[in-house]
Amino acid sequence: TQLLEQSPQFLSIQEGENLTVYCNSSSVFSSLQWYRQEPGEGPVLLVTVVTGGEVKKLKRLTFQFGDARKDSSLHITAAQPGDTGLYLCAGATTSGTYKYIFGTGTRLKVLA
Amino acid sequence: DSGVTQTPKHLITATGQRVTLRCSPRSGDLSVYWYQQSLDQGLQFLIQYYNGEERAKGNILERFSAQQFPDLHSELNLSSLELGDSALYFCASSVLADTQYFGPGTRLTVL
């Protein structure tokens, strides 16, 4: 059972545009992470959000954790071709057996 | 460079065979995680070891097994390989469970 749904699944935009990627769940997470993965490489951790309502900024990337700690969003301002990649949210469930779950992924392509 | 190393980078083998994938975690990291990534299944958590002991199990098949050695490196053993086992296998290590550093992966192709 996939607990973390990401949307959109695919996104192709022009350089300079803004975009938002969503990560949703019906489960509560103690924290959520966002990773970026490039073809043939392992995911690279971008950020961890811990507190409900928390907002973190990493240059042109803004991450938000939902108040109820069930969802998160990633907003990219003025996207650049270097932002191209697979974006994954992930988190550990707080109920039952420990499981670290990855989202379904959003494949972003930024065209020059 | 995450500091996590994986060998080999590529592996091509035949159905029914057995292979071993190796992972060396970042210096000081006690936890090692194994993941399988395929096009249709995304990134799937297989198993976690902490300081030599199994800590958590995910969607790991009975044909697969892993262990973590006293020097903290880990091996993932895949046996009776099937075509559907072809995938990227990643190892990650961490100090804290929610901050994982991934290796470059091993691409397994089963023919």
Side-chain angles (χ1 to χ4, degrees):
Chain A
T1 304
Q2 186 61 263
L3 296 180
L4 279 170
E5 296 287 340
Q6 287 184 238
S7 61
Q9 211 174 345
F10 300 96
L11 193 53
S12 181
I13 61 172
Q14 293 292 325
E15 182 177 4
E17 292 184 7
N18 301 332
L19 67 117
T20 302
V21 176
Y22 299 93
C23 173
N24 294 295
S25 174
S26 57
S27 301
V28 176
F29 290 85
S30 56
S31 66
L32 269 178
Q33 289 75 49
W34 284 92
Y35 294 81
R36 181 171 70 209
Q37 184 179 18
E38 298 190 22
E41 298 181 12
V44 175
L45 180 67
L46 296 175
V47 78
T48 294
V49 285
V50 178
T51 307
E54 181 177 5
V55 176
K56 276 192 174 177
K57 291 193 174 183
L58 187 67
K59 296 183 181 176
R60 293 175 294 101
L61 279 58
T62 302
F63 305 86
Q64 184 160 8
F65 201 11
D67 291 340
R69 293 186 289 126
K70 292 184 178 182
D71 56 88
S72 181
S73 64
L74 157 60
H75 182 78
I76 301 179
T77 303
Q80 298 177 1
D83 296 326
T84 294
L86 177 66
Y87 288 81
L88 297 160
C89 63
T93 56
T94 59
S95 58
T97 307
Y98 168 87
K99 270 192 177 182
Y100 194 72
I101 307 292
F102 274 83
T104 47
T106 294
R107 198 166 293 279
L108 171 65
K109 187 167 186 177
V110 182
L111 305 169
Chain B
D1 185 355
S2 67
V4 178
T5 60
Q6 288 187 249
T7 57
K9 192 161 178 62
H10 300 278
L11 198 48
I12 301 175
T13 188
T15 54
Q17 295 297 305
R18 173 189 168 95
V19 297
T20 298
L21 312 183
R22 183 187 167 102
C23 167
S24 292
R26 293 188 322 156
S27 177
D29 286 358
L30 299 179
S31 280
V32 169
Y33 309 77
W34 284 98
Y35 293 88
Q36 179 192 58
Q37 187 175 40
S38 56
L39 283 174
D40 57 344
Q41 291 290 320
L43 199 60
Q44 298 288 320
F45 168 64
L46 297 178
I47 197 164
Q48 178 202 356
Y49 277 82
Y50 178 82
N51 202 20
E53 294 191 2
E54 183 182 304
R55 174 62 65 92
K57 229 172 185 177
N59 303 321
I60 188 166
L61 300 173
E62 285 191 12
R63 300 183 285 108
F64 296 0
S65 64
Q67 53 184 329
Q68 186 179 26
F69 295 86
D71 67 352
L72 300 178
H73 91 270
S74 178
E75 292 181 356
L76 179 66
N77 301 296
L78 315 177
S79 61
S80 303
L81 285 167
E82 302 175 359
L83 295 177
D85 297 327
S86 294
L88 271 166
Y89 290 84
F90 288 103
C91 163
S93 75
S94 75
V95 173
L96 300 174
D98 60 359
T99 307
Q100 298 184 25
Y101 296 88
F102 281 77
T106 292
R107 181 175 293 279
L108 173 67
T109 303
V110 182
L111 301 174

